[in-house]
Amino acid sequence: MTAPSQGSAPAGDPALLEMRGITKRFPGVLANDDVDFDVAPGEIHALFGENGAGKSTLMRILYGLYQPDEGEIRLRGERVAIASPAVAIQHGIGMIHQHFMLVQTLTVAENVALGVKSARGPLTDLGRVSARISELSEAYGLKVDPEAFIWQLSVGERQRVEIIKALYRDVSLLVLDEPTAVLTPQEVRDLFVVLTRLVRDGLALVFISHKVNEVLELSGRITVLRAGRKIPTVSGADATAGELADMMVGHAVAAVEVPSDQRPGAVGLAVSDLRVKGDRGAETVRGLSLRAHAGEIVGIAGVSGNGQRELAEAIAGLRQPVSGRVEIGRADVTGRRPKAVRAAGLAYVPEERMRDALIGDFTVAENLILVTSADPAYARLGFLRNRAIRRHCRQLVSEFDIRTPGVNTRAGTLSGGNIQKVVLARELSFDPKVVVFHKPTYGLDVRTTSTVRSMIRQLVRAGGAALVADHAIVDRQP
């Protein structure tokens, strides 16, 4: 491999963006430590690193969501102060976030139109917006219904809305924060075709990822961040997968553990002839039957939006089935409330952790006891036993390796990997008989993905049953 570059734009290409000496501190965390980064027009520059490395923080500073404690930003050579996302958009900067920034109760067209001046003055012009959405959908293969409400869409469909929303604003610099996390391998290839077409027209892209193969395939340059510090910037043509993985984590990456040949035990989860309707009233689960035994992992693979969420929610008691039967062990929990299903021994890790699994404005401790706050161990005579709660939560933080300044840190400020660990710690700590995992490694880096998979294997080795719905079952790349 050739010597790393010093992080400047390719020779002969003036930088569209220059970030110099960016430092950002949070209580107990140095998120960015004197980071330099730049992008040229028509370039795809990858920002590569594991969860919590500071990638998203750096780009949120660029997008005006955070203000740097030190350093400067220059666009086309001129120093700028980006005080808000509105200012960033005025400068031609767009950002597609890993956790979607969409209003659930509005339609696709209404979300795309938010913040954009209407051609009809004070009146909305959703017809024009919908027509443009249809044009972009047709041009780039981003199929989505402009009149659908966001809450009706699958995760993959919401990702498409975010991409269309950015393209609609005709940006010159687009930041994509883990944009492939919710896509199937075929959808990733289709997205790469779109991105390649955009850079040919002069658009600059910052591609945030922890997936080695993707950054090597797509990027002209790759900047590696580790623990908030810039390691090197390397040429995508010269780097290798092994070297990038080692730079990301700081040491050689361990081999993937091969599942054991443990013999399954009694039936933990039984689903019989289940029929479930989706949010639009159409039947999305049609007569499905399956069994998950103790000591067994049952996988469900498929493209997002094909009934996985409805199935998981029906099992967990969050959605009423049309017909059929769900049993946890020998208990019939069909159509029962989530509390009763949980009492029967089922834990649920949903696909959208920020929407369905965690309250971002609550602390880590508050999220860890969300479903056990009334337990006598943590409450007495209507008052929380804060000392016992802190002791319990610190134990879980240690056991599940949650990287947080403390249990009183707001959970929404953690990285995606650590947020998922909070959810897993809460769901696995009461020794469930069955756990339903929906995309458990979505958006996680190679180290955290390995950790989560080890937790699932540990669950089944201890006699639990696991149902895992994830299109990544067929995608084995790191």
Side-chain angles (χ1 to χ4, degrees):
M1 181 169 150
T2 60
S5 75
Q6 296 305 307
S8 59
D13 294 338
L16 171 65
L17 165 71
E18 295 175 274
M19 303 180 77
R20 294 286 174 252
I22 300 296
T23 297
K24 180 63 179 178
R25 302 177 184 89
F26 295 105
V29 176
L30 182 57
N32 291 140
D33 185 6
D34 193 26
V35 177
D36 293 343
F37 185 78
D38 61 71
V39 190
E43 179 191 21
I44 301 177
H45 191 155
L47 200 51
F48 181 71
E50 61 183 341
N51 296 122
K55 309 183 301 297
S56 296
T57 297
L58 185 66
M59 290 299 102
R60 287 172 182 171
I61 289 171
L62 173 63
Y63 196 56
L65 291 168
Y66 296 150
Q67 296 304 306
D69 296 319
E70 300 172 22
E72 66 176 19
I73 301 173
R74 292 182 178 270
L75 289 171
R76 301 176 182 86
E78 295 187 7
R79 185 169 181 173
V80 296
I82 303 178
S84 68
V87 175
I89 292 170
Q90 290 172 4
H91 284 293
I93 300 170
M95 184 170 180
I96 300 173
H97 300 268
Q98 180 180 357
H99 300 300
F100 309 135
M101 301 292 184
L102 299 170
V103 181
Q104 302 291 319
T105 55
L106 298 184
T107 66
V108 170
E110 288 168 339
N111 269 275
V112 171
L114 281 176
V116 178
K117 186 176 180 179
S118 171
R120 299 177 61 192
L123 303 177
T124 59
D125 193 5
L126 295 180
R128 184 190 296 268
V129 174
S130 296
R132 179 59 178 155
I133 291 172
S134 297
E135 290 175 7
L136 292 170
S137 298
E138 180 68 24
Y140 298 116
L142 299 168
K143 184 179 179 181
V144 67
D145 179 4
E147 297 182 2
F149 288 96
I150 297 300
W151 62 267
Q152 295 176 315
L153 304 181
S154 69
V155 176
E157 290 170 323
R158 291 176 199 175
Q159 177 70 76
R160 295 173 211 160
V161 176
E162 288 282 20
I163 294 172
I164 290 173
K165 187 176 177 181
L167 295 177
Y168 185 89
R169 283 155 174 74
D170 200 22
V171 297
S172 57
L173 171 62
L174 179 59
V175 179
L176 301 105
D177 191 354
E178 304 283 1
T180 66
V182 296
L183 305 181
T184 65
Q186 181 58 52
E187 289 170 329
V188 171
R189 287 189 286 273
D190 294 341
L191 173 64
F192 283 8
V193 171
V194 173
L195 300 183
T196 301
R197 188 179 305 159
L198 291 173
V199 297
R200 285 175 182 168
D201 292 337
L203 191 72
L205 297 180
V206 178
F207 185 80
I208 302 176
S209 182
H210 57 259
K211 296 186 178 181
V212 177
N213 294 345
E214 290 183 0
V215 298
L216 285 174
E217 177 182 348
L218 188 66
S219 310
R221 288 187 298 154
I222 303 166
T223 291
V224 181
L225 292 186
R226 187 169 73 236
R229 302 193 69 181
K230 177 180 173 180
I231 305 304
T233 294
V234 299
S235 166
D238 297 330
T240 68
E243 289 166 329
L244 281 179
D246 292 351
M247 285 188 284
M248 177 175 69
V249 300
H251 55 77
V253 179
V256 176
E257 180 184 346
V258 178
S260 70
D261 57 355
Q262 177 176 337
R263 295 176 64 86
V267 175
L269 169 67
V271 176
S272 304
D273 196 24
L274 194 67
R275 295 182 179 273
V276 187
K277 287 185 178 181
D279 294 332
R280 300 185 191 181
E283 198 171 83
T284 55
V285 180
R286 306 182 185 95
L288 183 142
S289 298
L290 60 82
R291 299 287 185 273
H293 296 77
E296 181 179 48
I297 301 173
V298 175
I300 297 177
V303 177
S304 297
N306 280 277
Q308 299 96 321
R309 178 164 64 94
E310 290 83 357
L311 171 63
E313 290 178 350
I315 293 173
L318 295 168
R319 185 182 294 266
Q320 286 290 321
V322 175
S323 63
R325 186 180 178 93
V326 178
E327 295 174 277
I328 306 297
R330 297 182 179 180
D332 183 357
V333 296
T334 310
R336 300 192 67 184
R337 297 175 66 86
K339 184 177 181 180
V341 177
R342 189 177 184 89
L346 183 127
Y348 176 42
V349 180
E351 64 173 328
E352 273 206 75
R353 46 187 173 261
M354 288 299 294
R355 189 190 72 172
D356 299 328
L358 180 138
I359 301 175
D361 288 333
F362 279 19
T363 67
V364 170
E366 289 168 337
N367 277 283
L368 286 171
I369 64 162
L370 269 181
V371 293
T372 56
S373 58
D375 190 297
Y378 311 122
R380 186 177 182 182
L381 301 176
F383 293 94
L384 292 175
R385 302 177 65 181
N386 291 317
R387 183 176 299 176
I389 290 172
R390 284 195 297 271
R391 183 168 56 250
H392 168 71
C393 292
R394 285 168 181 160
Q395 180 180 344
L396 291 180
V397 165
S398 175
E399 180 181 346
F400 286 82
D401 191 29
I402 301 169
R403 309 290 177 86
T404 174
V407 296
N408 292 322
T409 299
R410 193 168 66 87
T413 64
L414 303 183
S415 69
N418 286 301
I419 287 173
Q420 186 71 327
K421 288 179 185 178
V422 171
V423 176
L424 288 165
R426 184 185 67 222
E427 296 302 307
L428 299 181
S429 61
F430 78 101
D431 296 325
K433 298 176 184 176
V434 180
V435 184
V436 176
F437 298 92
H438 193 181
K439 295 184 181 176
T441 61
Y442 146 54
L444 306 185
D445 60 58
V446 61
R447 192 204 312 240
T448 310
T449 293
S450 178
T451 299
V452 171
R453 289 174 177 168
S454 293
M455 290 178 185
I456 297 174
R457 286 191 286 269
Q458 184 177 350
L459 166 76
V460 300
R461 279 196 294 265
L467 179 67
V468 182
D470 196 340
H471 65 246
I473 289 171
V474 296
D475 181 12
R476 301 181 66 86
Q477 76 169 0

